Amino acid sequence: MELENKKIKIQAKNLNVYYGAKQALFNINLEINQKEVTALIGPSGCGKSTFIRCINRMNDVIDICKVDGSIEIDGSEINDKKVDVVMLREKIGMVFQKPNPFPKSIYDNIAYGPIIHGLAEEKNQMDNIVETSLKKAALWDEVKDRLDEPGTSLSGGQQQRLCIARALSVSPEVILMDEPCSALDPIATAKIEELIDELKKSYTIVIVTHSMAQAVRVSQKTGFFHMGKIIEVDSTDKIFKNPSNKMTQDYITGRFG
Amino acid sequence: MTKEERLKKRYNSEKRFKFYGILSVSLAMIFVLVLIQNIVSKGSSAFSRTTIEVDIIYNANLLEIEGPITKEALNNAEFYDLSVESILKIFPSQNAKEERQVLRLFSPDFEYEVKRVLSKKPNKINDIVPIRLTASDDVDQLNKGNFPRDLPEDRRRVSNFQLNIYDNLVEQDKIGKKFNDYFFTKGDSRDPELAGIGGSLMGSFFTIVICLILSFPIAIMASIYLEEFAPKNKITDFIEININNLAAVPSIVYGLLGLGILLSVMEFPRSTPLVAGITLSLMTLPRIIIPCRASLKAVPPSIREAALSVGASKFQTVFHHVVPLAMPGTLSGTIIGLAQALGETAPLILIGMVAFVVDIPGTPVDPSASLPVQVFLWSEQAERGFVEKTSATIMMLLGFLIVMNFIAVYLRQKFEKKWN
Ligand SMILES: Nc1ncnc2c1ncn2[C@@H]1O[C@H](COP(=O)(O)OP(=O)(O)OP(=O)(O)O)[C@@H](O)[C@H]1O
Ligand SMILES: [Mg+2]
């Protein structure tokens, strides 16, 4: 019931994606609500990453990738030729499976986005952005004394939070996370999950995960993908307690995938 | 076969492989050491030159100066007669023939060496100034022990009379050795003791600088465009294949190109570092493009994704992240390409850099030699003095190449980022 009241942030309609001759996504229809965590689950190779990369048009850089259909964000089409991808990606941050900080200082990692978008005019404004981003990513206390050290010198979990802070630095509305914890140990994972819980108050989050437990812990809505199709989308509660599709049932109980 | 036998066989084949590996590495090392030992033993003596100390008696009357003896007048004065008079005093000669032989113990430049010392400060008449004059090549080689003295006189380059003077001078402790600055500061010469690599060093320097200026920016831009921006289609495939082909084209073909286009059609000045630099940059371009593209390719896609995902444009991603990260590989590729260009001889011979050039080039459009061509030129000379100069030049060339390669390796190791 609560779901009904939520505002729709992202809406995919009849989305088909092809890698050359191979079709990776079939007729995807999915609604993602504002200020909520949506989890995407499904067996390996089912197209979760492909879908999430459609949302910030990351697939544009893959020559052979062709996207067909519509994705609307706040009601406006993003696959339109007129849409500037740079502006789009400023609005939609992304965190990748493997932490990928720039081989620069922690400070510069965060400052890069604001610099290219001209978000800060003075040094103290930039310092401010760096500090708030790191605080939001729950990393500030650990790195505030060593902002000049290379981002790559941090631990894996810290690096991933640095990447989250980097995504937050340009004040996005949506954060896409593609298996953000798959390279992390349980403690680092717990920290990130805690962080996601906090972030959903102000951001719309889409997270791809292979861990059912994680989906249950962090998300309000879950979509189950299989072989490029969406099998079932519903509230996380419903999907994990009482799925309507047999395949979903089999997947979440670990019978395949 | 039992399990033990199989295990033993495996260990044996591993041992044999290890042995072959060590053997081939040792063989390679031995060849390199023999080469270096050979060059060093032949060439190291070129870094010193033999001098003969002569008491020059200052006699202003012999300077052909009219009017007062000013500094300017001294600069224009002729020191030949004055030098000869003093030199002949080192040993009594009976006739003109013997006098000539005495003079021939010295390098033909002795009057300038005298002038350089004497014109510096005003001297009084009959002042005696001891000056260490450069000995001729024959005396130089004799002093370095490269001339067998026990040959019959007619098969020796040094006559009995000269040998006698030499021994006499040795007894008086007049024969000395000093660091051969001429080898570094002088241009080519017909007299080995006066020949130096100053000219070819400058020639090589200008050539490499021009080659760098032309090939580096073009190669970088070409590789960035091809690797990052060009659409992948038949045309870019074709270009890629041809760049690889060009890198394999023998260098002499580029020499022909330089000869045919730069010299014949465009009429650039012959034998100059300008033409050499342009020709070599044509040769070096593909050799730089290939490692540049490889190092651009080696930048992990995750970095590009990171930049794109915070809203960097393609251009910003490439120039803010990919290119800086590829720089060490790019630079080391460039340096290695330039090192190859530095050692290149064949194309330079075709564009006329084999000319005998005495003057040290002051600009890239002056005729000049280059180090490898200098080696080639001197290796054809018969005089013993040129043999050691050839080896010494090879040492210099090898030194530069080793330094350049060392810098390349250093850059690659120091600045290569570790990806996790
Ligand atoms: N760059 C690409 N070129 C060609 N095919 C691709 C490319 N990326 C993905 N695919 C194909 O598209 C399909 C979906 O891949 P995708 O990466 O979206 O799967 P996924 O659900 O994210 O899997 P995983 O859980 O293993 O990350 C796969 O069959 C894959 O082979
Ligand atoms: Mg994936």
Side-chain angles (χ1 to χ4, degrees):
Chain A
M1 268 150 283
E2 212 186 339
L3 272 178
E4 309 303 310
N5 305 333
K6 285 273 187 182
K7 187 169 167 281
I8 293 171
K9 181 76 182 173
I10 304 168
Q11 181 157 38
K13 286 186 206 150
N14 299 329
L15 191 72
N16 289 288
V17 179
Y18 308 82
Y19 289 110
K22 184 174 176 287
Q23 187 163 6
L25 288 182
F26 299 83
N27 230 358
I28 301 294
N29 287 288
L30 185 65
E31 286 165 4
I32 289 162
N33 295 327
Q34 192 162 36
K35 301 197 177 165
E36 191 177 276
V37 179
T38 303
L40 305 180
I41 58 171
S44 193
C46 66
K48 306 178 297 292
S49 299
T50 304
F51 175 74
I52 205 174
R53 289 164 61 93
C54 286
I55 300 175
N56 64 349
R57 289 194 35 194
M58 255 338 223
N59 286 327
D60 284 14
V61 292
I62 302 173
D63 283 331
I64 56 166
C65 185
K66 202 174 134 280
V67 178
D68 214 47
S70 132
I71 294 184
E72 287 177 2
I73 293 184
D74 295 330
S76 57
E77 175 61 45
I78 64 157
N79 283 332
D80 205 282
K81 285 219 168 58
K82 274 177 272 167
V83 173
D84 181 54
V85 282
V86 169
M87 304 299 283
L88 178 73
R89 290 183 191 145
E90 188 183 348
K91 211 157 70 173
I92 303 177
M94 186 160 192
V95 178
F96 297 84
Q97 177 168 1
K98 246 178 65 184
N100 56 354
F102 299 127
K104 298 182 175 197
S105 72
I106 293 173
Y107 187 96
D108 290 342
N109 260 282
I110 312 289
Y112 181 66
I115 286 174
I116 58 174
H117 296 299
L119 298 185
E121 257 138 45
E122 286 159 36
K123 174 93 171 79
N124 58 352
Q125 267 175 303
M126 183 60 82
D127 291 348
N128 220 352
I129 293 179
V130 171
E131 184 174 338
T132 40
S133 305
L134 284 170
K135 275 183 175 155
K136 279 188 199 159
L139 190 61
W140 175 250
D141 290 330
E142 286 157 71
V143 300
K144 62 173 181 246
D145 300 321
R146 45 176 182 145
L147 292 174
D148 293 332
E149 280 177 34
T152 40
S153 69
L154 297 172
S155 76
Q158 289 173 324
Q159 285 189 21
Q160 194 61 301
R161 275 179 284 151
L162 180 65
C163 293
I164 293 174
R166 182 177 64 195
L168 297 177
S169 67
V170 291
S171 324
E173 295 163 17
V174 180
I175 302 169
L176 309 174
M177 298 182 165
D178 194 350
E179 301 179 39
C181 302
S182 64
L184 306 181
D185 64 76
I187 295 170
T189 302
K191 274 203 174 139
I192 303 252
E193 285 179 5
E194 220 172 277
L195 178 60
I196 292 171
D197 230 33
E198 184 63 32
L199 290 174
K200 75 159 191 272
K201 289 176 190 157
S202 19
Y203 303 92
T204 304
I205 296 174
V206 184
I207 181 171
V208 171
T209 177
H210 275 288
S211 151
M212 305 300 130
Q214 185 169 59
V216 172
R217 282 195 299 265
V218 300
S219 73
Q220 286 73 55
K221 186 172 180 176
T222 299
F224 172 57
F225 279 66
H226 182 60
M227 307 254 299
K229 300 192 176 85
I230 284 217
I231 305 299
E232 190 172 351
V233 196
D234 218 321
S235 73
T236 303
D237 247 19
K238 171 112 193 324
I239 291 269
F240 285 92
K241 285 198 183 124
N242 183 21
S244 35
N245 192 296
K246 173 88 173 45
M247 248 198 294
T248 317
Q249 169 89 42
D250 287 351
Y251 182 71
I252 58 174
T253 51
R255 240 165 277 167
F256 84 95
Chain B
M1 223 184 323
T2 66
K3 212 166 185 167
E4 282 76 45
E5 277 171 346
R6 248 195 322 228
L7 199 63
K8 203 165 154 227
K9 216 174 143 202
R10 205 181 74 203
Y11 281 135
N12 280 343
S13 73
E14 263 171 32
K15 255 186 229 147
R16 229 176 304 133
F17 176 77
K18 207 170 154 188
F19 172 74
Y20 291 145
I22 291 175
L23 191 71
S24 41
V25 169
S26 323
L27 273 178
M29 288 308 291
I30 288 172
F31 286 136
V32 169
L33 286 180
V34 167
L35 174 82
I36 290 180
Q37 193 270 337
N38 186 355
I39 291 172
V40 170
S41 67
K42 271 196 196 139
S44 54
S45 55
F47 294 109
S48 66
R49 71 179 140 99
T50 305
T51 57
I52 303 173
E53 192 180 309
V54 179
D55 292 330
I56 301 290
I57 303 155
Y58 185 73
N59 183 353
N61 299 332
L62 292 174
L63 294 180
E64 298 175 17
I65 294 178
E66 289 159 20
I69 299 178
T70 58
K71 205 158 166 96
E72 197 183 332
L74 274 174
N75 277 336
N76 296 325
E78 290 286 342
F79 279 78
Y80 183 77
D81 290 343
L82 179 145
S83 312
V84 167
E85 198 184 61
S86 304
I87 284 174
L88 289 180
K89 289 213 172 82
I90 62 169
F91 199 83
S93 351
Q94 312 296 314
N95 49 36
K97 186 168 166 257
E98 284 189 359
E99 283 184 356
R100 261 204 314 279
Q101 289 197 16
V102 174
L103 287 181
R104 237 182 268 135
L105 293 172
F106 296 85
S107 112
D109 261 10
F110 60 75
E111 59 176 305
Y112 303 109
E113 294 182 325
V114 170
K115 182 175 181 175
R116 216 174 304 140
V117 177
L118 289 190
S119 63
K120 251 187 230 150
K121 56 175 180 73
N123 290 281
K124 290 197 283 294
I125 292 284
N126 289 341
D127 266 359
I128 293 179
V129 186
I131 298 180
R132 292 169 70 183
L133 298 176
T134 302
S136 73
D137 178 46
D138 294 336
V139 175
D140 189 37
Q141 295 305 320
L142 189 65
N143 188 41
K144 285 170 179 169
N146 291 336
F147 265 161
R149 302 175 56 130
D150 39 10
L151 287 175
E153 186 178 15
D154 55 342
R155 291 181 52 197
R156 243 191 281 124
R157 293 179 58 99
V158 189
S159 68
N160 284 341
F161 176 67
Q162 287 175 314
L163 214 51
N164 195 4
I165 305 175
Y166 172 77
D167 291 337
N168 198 298
L169 288 170
V170 171
E171 248 162 61
Q172 294 174 50
D173 209 12
K174 297 278 190 194
I175 302 279
K177 241 185 200 181
K178 70 191 235 187
F179 173 67
N180 192 359
D181 49 340
Y182 288 177
F183 180 64
F184 297 97
T185 55
K186 284 194 181 288
D188 202 357
S189 167
R190 294 283 177 229
D191 304 296
E193 72 276 11
L194 294 176
I197 56 169
S200 44
L201 212 56
M202 281 313 277
S204 273
F205 174 75
F206 284 135
T207 305
I208 289 302
V209 168
I210 288 174
C211 182
L212 175 71
I213 291 173
L214 288 179
S215 57
F216 182 65
I218 299 179
I220 296 267
M221 283 304 149
S223 18
I224 292 175
Y225 179 74
L226 284 175
E227 200 55 47
E228 303 289 337
F229 295 100
K232 303 272 172 288
N233 56 26
K234 289 228 168 67
I235 300 174
T236 43
D237 280 352
F238 179 77
I239 292 175
E240 165 143 29
I241 291 170
N242 279 297
I243 288 174
N244 289 332
N245 285 341
L246 282 178
V249 167
S251 58
I252 197 155
V253 177
Y254 289 99
L256 281 170
L257 185 74
L259 178 67
I261 293 180
L262 297 175
L263 294 183
S264 307
V265 179
M266 300 173 75
E267 299 189 341
F268 278 27
R270 199 163 240 292
S271 312
T272 55
L274 177 68
V275 177
I278 298 174
T279 307
L280 289 181
S281 68
L282 290 176
M283 183 196 82
T284 312
L285 254 177
R287 296 183 183 179
I288 300 183
I289 290 178
I290 291 171
C292 276
R293 292 188 64 181
S295 56
L296 287 170
K297 223 180 231 144
V299 175
S302 64
I303 294 296
R304 295 162 213 261
E305 288 184 332
L308 289 172
S309 74
V310 290
S313 65
K314 175 93 195 176
F315 183 84
Q316 288 170 327
T317 304
V318 169
F319 283 94
H320 294 170
H321 299 280
V322 179
V323 172
L325 290 174
M327 239 352 158
T330 305
L331 289 181
S332 75
T334 306
I335 292 172
I336 288 172
L338 288 180
Q340 286 175 337
L342 178 64
E344 207 51 72
T345 325
L348 301 191
I349 292 176
L350 279 181
I351 56 160
M353 273 193 112
V354 273
F356 174 75
V357 183
V358 177
D359 296 324
I360 292 177
T363 67
V365 286
D366 294 335
S368 140
S370 76
L371 283 174
V373 175
Q374 193 73 75
V375 171
F376 171 74
L377 285 173
W378 283 345
S379 66
E380 291 187 319
Q381 304 284 326
E383 283 99 330
R384 187 64 183 73
F386 280 122
V387 175
E388 63 177 27
K389 293 229 152 47
T390 307
S391 293
T393 313
I394 294 173
M395 279 163 72
M396 296 302 294
L397 190 55
L398 281 181
F400 283 122
L401 296 182
I402 289 170
V403 168
M404 287 172 86
N405 285 334
F406 178 79
I407 293 173
V409 171
Y410 174 80
L411 276 177
R412 213 165 24 207
Q413 291 186 344
K414 174 88 194 282
F415 295 106
E416 196 140 76
K417 301 281 180 195
K418 302 273 177 292
W419 314 112
N420 43 350

